[in-house]
Amino acid sequence: MLLAGILPKNSDEQYELTFWESIKNSNYAGDYEAYLKQYPNGRFAALARARSRAPARERSCRKEPAA
């Protein structure tokens, strides 16, 4: 069951949000570039631009294993 207000009512906004959710943790600049190509003025465009320019090691959220 979906609760009202969780997803945007506009289907275009739903597609954008779904796209972003699928790449938001990516370490590949190409994923963010694809988002920007589809949504150049999207709600996550500024973040996507920053992540597409950041070196992969900065985008990585992986932690070193504890010794």
Side-chain angles (χ1 to χ4, degrees):
M1 178 176 148
L2 291 176
L3 299 175
I6 298 295
L7 292 175
K9 293 179 181 170
N10 179 323
S11 63
D12 290 337
E13 291 177 10
Q14 288 177 1
Y15 291 130
E16 180 185 358
L17 183 58
T18 300
F19 192 138
W20 179 255
E21 287 293 321
S22 73
I23 67 161
K24 70 180 183 179
N25 295 317
S26 177
N27 290 326
Y28 300 101
D31 291 342
Y32 299 106
E33 291 164 5
Y35 170 86
L36 289 168
K37 184 174 182 180
Q38 186 69 33
Y39 303 102
N41 299 310
R43 69 170 70 180
F44 305 104
L47 185 55
R49 280 187 203 92
R51 289 185 179 181
S52 71
R53 292 188 295 249
R57 68 181 178 278
E58 290 181 17
R59 290 190 306 270
S60 177
C61 295
R62 298 180 192 156
K63 293 183 179 181
E64 294 295 322

